[in-house]
Structures are given as structure tokens and as C-alpha cells.
Amino acid sequence: MEAQAIPLFAASHSGTTTVGPVILLGAPGAGKGTQAKRIAEYYGIPQISTGDILRENIRLGTELGKAASSLMERGELVSDDLVCQMVARRVAAPDCALGMILDGFPRTVNQAEWLDKHLAEYHFFETERGRKRPVVVQLVVEYNQLLRRLTGRRTCPACGRIYNVFTTPPNADGVCDVDGVTLVTRKDDREEVIAERLKNYEAQTLPLVSYYSGQKLLTVVDGAGDPDEITAEAFKAIEHGDRL
Ligand code: ADP
């Protein structure tokens, strides 16, 4: 894939880097969004969720949104080219200078290779002691639990809070505890679409496990346990993240 013509932020990435890029890997429903928010808040770095950015583009009716919407509704992946361009634009923003957490990206080996090249080419996370390596955290959750999480998921369209009708229901049926807005089910959380997403995850995203473990960047975390313990494990992986 061609390198993207984006502004160079090398200078702002030098010297002041805190944590480098954190990549969250996991099936749909593994808890990437929940953990990404906690990590983002703790380290003061932005959460870059490609799914959220794509949904926002659909809401705004952009060209990207138009290209992505039917694919997403079917549970298929958006093309690597479109997603990489979108990520290139997002990570060029100054708020990514001290680190970033990537949630839902990369999702194919092609995207991972692009990301490696992009971070190197634009001198992301270079410090006087070398370049910070990405920290990759894989959240592992078994298939039936993923199904339960996804079919039960409800989201508040106003504040983004996520509930689950089986495990973490709102106080009053169908409305957000925070702002009383009616909760919605994501279009791709219908059962037949969920099966497609999980199938695509296995075929297209799971190969990233060997891609990153081959580079000794991968930490595997049991995503079925207590959310606070999962966060603690993720923090540990980030703190011990190595340098090139
Ligand atoms: P989930 O991981 O729970 O399926 P996301 O919100 O991360 O949900 O993504 C929703 C959809 O957006 C995906 O099914 C896919 O169609 C699209 N998408 C998100 N990230 C990527 C990506 N990196 N590459 C291709 N498509 C993506």
C-alpha cells in the first residue's frame, strides 16, 4: 500500500513520548471498547476506535460512510485502503503525540504491516533511547460468551455508555441510567450478522496473533474475568512495553 501524504508530526513525537501505541486485539464483544476507554483515560491518550469513526462517518453521510455502511451491516470488513487512510488522518492529529490506543485496528495482516511502516516512516514515538514499540494486548473470550455479550449489548446514543441486558442491565428497562435516553441495539449486533463478524474475525484478524507474537509484542489476557483485573493486566503490559 502507498504511504499516505499527511503532515509530518515527527518533532512533536520526540522526547515527550509517554506510552507509545497500544493495540487492543480481540473478537467482537471481547471488551476492547471498555478497556480502551479505561486505558485512554488513565494515560491521557486518545482512544482511536475505527468502528466508532466509521459509524460517525455513516451518521454524517460522508463518502467514507457511504462506502462502509452496507459492508458493516453485513458484518464484513471495510477495505484496508479506506481504513488505513482514515487512521493516517486520525493519528496525524497532535493529540496522538504522547501515545494512542488503537481499538479495532489493525484487523488484518495487511493493516498491521501498513501500521508498522507508517509509524516508522513518520517517526512516531521516537525518544532519545529509541523508538517505543507497540504494546499489543489480546483479550481472549470464548465463543458462547461473545455471543451473549453481543446479542445482549445496548448502547446509549447520547453518552455512549454500554449495557448488557443479561449481565449489566440499566436500572430501568431500555433507558440509560445517566441521561434517560432510549438505548439502541447496534445494527450489526443482530444474530446472523454477529456470526458473520465472528467468522471474519477468525479468518482475517486472528492471524495477527502470530504476527505480533513473532515480534514478541503480544500479551494475552483472559477477557472473561473481572473487568478491573483485565485493566490491571493491560496496565502491566503497557508499563513493561519494550523499546526497539
Ligand atoms: P466489533 O469489533 O465489535 O465488531 P467495531 O465497532 O470495532 O465492532 O467495528 C464495527 C465494524 O466496522 C466492523 O465489523 C467492520 O465492518 C468495520 N471496521 C472497524 N474497524 C475496521 C478495520 N480496522 N478494518 C476494516 N473494517 C473495520
Side-chain angles (χ1 to χ4, degrees):
M1 227 175 298
E2 294 282 303
Q4 307 302 323
I6 59 155
L8 189 57
F9 278 87
S12 61
H13 286 283
S14 303
T16 46
T17 295
T18 54
V19 290
V22 180
I23 295 168
L24 271 188
L25 211 59
K32 297 186 299 292
T34 306
Q35 295 300 329
K37 282 192 181 61
R38 292 172 176 213
I39 295 166
E41 196 171 314
Y42 183 78
Y43 289 102
I45 56 177
Q47 171 194 5
I48 300 178
S49 159
T50 43
D52 285 349
I53 302 175
L54 289 167
R55 278 185 288 278
E56 181 65 3
N57 274 274
I58 293 174
R59 198 181 64 77
L60 295 171
T62 66
E63 286 306 308
L64 173 60
K66 283 179 200 148
S69 84
S70 59
L71 290 166
M72 288 173 72
E73 279 184 29
R74 292 200 298 272
E76 290 171 29
L77 294 188
V78 176
S79 80
D80 289 336
D81 272 322
L82 285 180
V83 174
C84 292
Q85 277 174 40
M86 182 180 97
V87 170
R89 274 197 298 276
R90 179 62 188 89
V91 301
D95 67 337
C96 294
L98 297 182
M100 61 178 86
I101 170 134
L102 295 168
D103 157 13
F105 184 91
R107 234 179 176 96
T108 63
V109 171
N110 208 6
Q111 291 178 12
E113 287 170 348
W114 174 87
L115 181 67
D116 281 350
K117 271 203 230 126
H118 190 77
L119 294 178
E121 190 171 347
Y122 291 94
H123 307 284
F124 271 90
F125 310 114
E126 263 172 20
T127 70
E128 63 290 349
R129 290 162 62 198
R131 189 153 58 86
K132 285 250 179 182
R133 309 179 77 189
V135 171
V136 185
V137 177
Q138 183 196 8
L139 301 176
V140 179
V141 177
E142 59 99 14
Y143 193 87
N144 285 331
Q145 196 176 346
L146 291 173
L147 275 185
R148 233 167 103 82
R149 288 188 184 181
L150 292 166
T151 51
R153 177 158 70 179
R154 303 289 180 273
T155 315
C156 173
C159 72
R161 185 156 169 187
I162 299 166
Y163 299 86
N164 187 291
V165 294
F166 306 119
T167 53
T168 50
N171 294 328
D173 249 11
V175 289
C176 180
D177 295 346
V178 180
D179 43 36
V181 170
T182 302
L183 301 178
V184 295
T185 305
R186 258 170 55 173
K187 278 192 177 155
D188 58 354
D189 277 347
R190 286 175 291 131
E191 223 159 313
E192 62 283 12
V193 184
I194 290 171
E196 185 65 23
R197 283 159 63 202
L198 292 173
K199 197 179 85 194
N200 289 336
Y201 174 76
E202 279 192 18
Q204 295 176 274
T205 310
L206 261 191
L208 289 180
V209 170
S210 46
Y211 181 86
Y212 285 121
S213 63
Q215 296 182 36
K216 307 240 177 308
L217 298 176
L218 187 78
T219 302
V220 180
V221 174
D222 178 4
D226 174 359
D228 290 345
E229 277 169 29
I230 298 168
T231 310
E233 289 297 314
F235 285 174
K236 241 194 277 169
I238 294 166
E239 304 294 332
H240 293 115
D242 218 343
R243 288 160 197 277
L244 277 181

